[in-house]
Amino acid sequence: MTQRGRRNQDQVATHSTAASSLLFAAVDDDENDTMSSLSIPDDSHSPTVPRSTSTHSPYLHPTHQATASTSTFNVGGQLASASGANTPTMGHAPVGTLPGTPRAPASRKPSSLRHTSGPAESLPPSIKRRPSSPSAKEGKYSSSKSATRPRATPRLPHSDDPPAPATAMYWSRAPVHGHLPMRSFRAHTVTLVDHVAWLFGGCDDKGCWRDVYCFDTETMYWSRPETLGDVPPPCRAHTATLVDRKIVVFGGGQGPVYYDSTYIFDTVTRSWFRPSFPHSQSSLQNPISQPQNSQQSPVHPAPRRAHTAVLYNGKIYVFGGGNGLTALNDLWTLDVSRLDPTSQAAMSYSHGSYGHRSYGGSFGGSAGGLRWSPVETQGEPPAPRGYHTANLVGNVMIVVGGSDGRECFSDVWCLHLDTLVWTRLNLEHSHRRLSHTSTQVGSYLFIVGGHDGSAYRDEVVLFNLVHLQYEPRTVKGKPPSARGYHVTILHDSRLFVFGGFNGHDVFDDVHILDLAGAAYLPQVMSFRVDVGAQHLIA
């Protein structure tokens, strides 16, 4: 078999791995949270797992201020909190002290890592912070071009890694150039439109952001477009769903604040629009026509973050997440079949199907517009969770992993979106994961990174969608350092990994996994997810 030499394009970056909890370092902000945003104060991440002296726990996080956090879980009485907040808490306030010992100062060569262990003035002189835009902590939006770092030509780092077979999947670091972001990113979203990836929000060691960046996946060029309209507030752990050429952003939050708002970004006009939804039944224009018990029904999902969203048959299905008090496992749909934010007409309200009511804003006429509806499912649903993943494969939504703040889950669930029946798969081998990514490539889900309840991971795990089981697979090259809260997208037979967090540092790098054809293309070219009796949990 032919050999092809490929140089690893990943610059070497070393960082301290002193004892502390997985995802969170004991600092005075919620930037280090992992699972905490699912339940109580924004960032508590410390499940009932043995302490590790070499990694951070995604369940632990110190005090959560309105800076940067990606979690919403509470670990119950186990979470500790000398600082009190940044621990994934799912319904219990953190108590005790943060597990782990003080972390040693990071020692590393210059790289794209962001040090997140404390305020800027406490950093060693050798570690310099990049200037921060006012949009971080002050929540002010700045469109200044100074928020980028111009780079005229790509940097092509080299290494002495041995050649790899042409049929092997291979990691490398993207040779980016252009107007590079002045910040790193964690718990952000990246949405692919044609060959351009639109990055929005997320947080770094300074706070949450609401700016938009574009990354061309063909030229590796970064740019920052000017945007118009009603820009969302800084947020993280939200969802961004592509509908036609518009991106629908829901939920998220910053610090102790959780959002239930919906924003729409038009990638053609580069403008934001926020539809309005009623917050109570009394706000309806014709309350006389409403049922007597309608005031007990919510009109849209509760504020949350760390949830998931998939688009199917003109509806966005939002599942799970956390609201700062507890983890959630409810299911909602947002009808976007008539999404047209160019026409901001008056609100209209109409009855939904299946005997429940939907409420929403109409953009194009009296019968259209956005409508939220709660969904009742059949069968035993998954336990409440956040920081899981959800992929739409045909008409089935596949949920992998996640956490409720107490434990990191290894289960895999399927929801048939036509019958609304939940099914838990019976797995021969399982992997605990939270804050990972899951991307469909042919008849496989490529699960990258994440946290397993005791440490961050850097491997790629493949889930076979035909046999509904995990499969081992060898990957060459130098993978991104272990991390979670990153984003992965697929374009042109390559997986792109953006940013992430390892419990100590926030990243601004972009890595590429080349998917050599013979290494990943399935033999089954046409398939569907069939949850038969042999796949059901005993």
Side-chain angles (χ1 to χ4, degrees):
M1 182 176 297
T2 29
Q3 299 280 326
R4 97 179 146 186
R6 285 184 284 190
R7 299 223 177 243
N8 185 351
Q9 300 172 353
D10 194 351
Q11 295 178 342
V12 178
T14 59
H15 57 82
S16 167
T17 55
S20 181
S21 49
L22 264 170
L23 274 174
F24 300 66
V27 294
D28 276 342
D29 57 21
D30 52 3
E31 70 184 29
N32 289 347
D33 75 9
T34 329
M35 290 190 42
S36 51
S37 30
L38 294 182
S39 63
I40 81 167
D42 173 27
D43 304 329
S44 311
H45 303 315
S46 139
T48 57
V49 296
R51 283 185 288 180
S52 170
T53 59
S54 61
T55 52
H56 296 281
S57 169
Y59 303 94
L60 293 177
H61 191 267
T63 57
H64 63 280
Q65 298 178 356
T67 53
S69 158
T70 306
S71 314
T72 313
F73 293 103
N74 182 356
V75 182
Q78 303 293 333
L79 290 212
S81 198
S83 326
N86 291 344
T87 352
T89 50
M90 290 305 224
H92 298 280
V95 294
T97 58
L98 289 171
T101 57
R103 183 180 301 281
S107 173
R108 61 176 185 264
K109 298 177 183 179
S111 70
S112 63
L113 299 181
R114 294 292 172 278
H115 195 75
T116 62
S117 58
E121 47 271 34
S122 65
L123 293 175
S126 61
I127 301 178
K128 297 181 179 180
R129 290 184 180 273
R130 293 179 183 172
S132 175
S133 164
S135 63
K137 289 188 177 181
E138 300 176 14
K140 299 178 180 178
Y141 182 71
S142 172
S143 60
S144 172
K145 290 295 183 181
S146 63
T148 62
R149 294 175 292 133
R151 179 182 295 176
T153 57
R155 294 178 182 175
L156 300 174
H158 300 284
S159 71
D160 297 327
D161 289 348
T167 55
M169 295 184 291
Y170 194 89
W171 279 113
S172 62
R173 181 163 176 172
V176 301
H177 62 118
H179 297 279
L180 277 60
M182 285 292 294
R183 65 179 180 91
S184 46
F185 15 89
R186 169 170 69 103
H188 49 295
T189 55
V190 178
T191 308
L192 185 66
V193 182
D194 295 329
H195 59 89
V196 176
W198 295 77
L199 184 150
F200 170 69
C203 58
D204 60 6
D205 56 332
K206 299 179 180 66
C208 288
W209 300 78
R210 60 176 182 172
D211 47 5
V212 174
Y213 286 94
C214 289
F215 180 79
D216 191 312
T217 58
E218 296 181 351
T219 64
M220 311 296 166
Y221 187 88
W222 277 109
S223 62
R224 184 179 181 184
E226 296 284 351
T227 60
L228 306 172
D230 192 355
V231 181
C235 68
R236 68 186 182 288
H238 50 282
T239 55
T241 309
L242 183 64
V243 181
D244 192 8
R245 305 184 71 83
K246 302 174 182 67
I247 300 174
V248 180
V249 174
F250 171 71
Q254 64 170 331
V257 181
Y258 292 74
Y259 303 146
D260 61 0
S261 53
T262 303
Y263 287 85
I264 301 167
F265 181 70
D266 192 322
T267 60
V268 176
T269 63
R270 298 183 177 183
S271 58
W272 287 99
F273 172 69
R274 180 184 181 182
S276 298
F277 299 94
H279 289 278
S280 65
Q281 299 297 330
S282 59
S283 65
L284 300 179
Q285 295 180 355
N286 187 16
I288 299 178
S289 64
Q290 308 304 325
Q292 295 297 322
N293 60 352
S294 62
Q295 292 192 5
Q296 299 177 2
S297 302
V299 290
H300 56 68
R304 68 189 63 203
R305 57 182 177 236
H307 51 287
T308 55
V310 300
L311 176 67
Y312 178 68
N313 276 357
K315 295 181 179 180
I316 297 176
Y317 287 76
V318 174
F319 171 71
N323 61 10
L325 297 175
T326 185
L328 305 169
N329 66 347
D330 54 345
L331 182 67
W332 287 78
T333 61
L334 176 63
D335 189 340
V336 291
S337 58
R338 300 189 182 183
L339 177 61
D340 182 14
T342 60
S343 176
Q344 302 177 20
M347 303 296 291
S348 69
Y349 309 95
S350 61
H351 291 282
S353 58
Y354 306 109
H356 59 263
R357 192 175 301 274
S358 302
Y359 308 93
S362 174
F363 301 129
S366 60
L370 301 179
R371 294 189 301 274
W372 280 111
S373 303
V375 179
E376 294 185 3
T377 59
Q378 305 296 320
E380 179 186 358
R385 65 190 62 204
Y387 294 113
H388 53 286
T389 56
N391 294 86
L392 180 68
V393 182
N395 58 357
V396 177
M397 182 176 73
I398 302 179
V399 175
V400 177
S403 175
D404 62 359
R406 298 180 179 85
E407 72 172 297
C408 181
F409 298 123
S410 62
D411 49 1
V412 177
W413 292 78
C414 294
L415 176 64
H416 195 294
L417 295 182
D418 292 328
T419 63
L420 298 177
V421 175
W422 280 107
T423 303
R424 181 179 179 179
L425 300 183
N426 185 16
L427 304 176
E428 296 177 1
H429 304 283
S430 61
H431 300 269
R432 294 181 182 273
R433 286 294 185 274
L434 70 92
S435 72
H436 54 288
T437 60
S438 179
T439 308
Q440 183 182 358
V441 181
S443 60
Y444 289 89
L445 293 181
F446 278 56
I447 298 172
V448 180
H451 198 286
D452 65 3
S454 60
Y456 282 97
R457 312 294 299 191
D458 63 357
E459 72 252 18
V460 179
V461 178
L462 270 62
F463 185 78
N464 189 313
L465 293 171
V466 176
H467 302 295
L468 299 179
Q469 297 292 333
Y470 285 103
E471 292 183 5
R473 194 62 59 92
T474 302
V475 182
K476 302 293 184 178
K478 185 176 180 180
S481 58
R483 66 186 65 192
Y485 307 103
H486 50 289
V487 176
T488 304
I489 62 172
L490 174 68
H491 178 69
D492 192 23
S493 297
R494 293 178 292 181
L495 281 180
F496 290 81
V497 178
F498 295 82
F501 178 64
N502 67 358
H504 188 262
D505 297 290
V506 186
F507 301 94
D508 67 353
D509 50 7
V510 180
H511 289 263
I512 298 174
L513 177 61
D514 285 302
L515 304 174
Y520 81 93
L521 285 178
Q523 298 299 318
V524 181
M525 303 306 295
S526 179
F527 72 97
R528 66 186 180 91
V529 176
D530 183 12
V531 185
Q534 66 273 23
H535 298 303
L536 302 183
I537 192 71

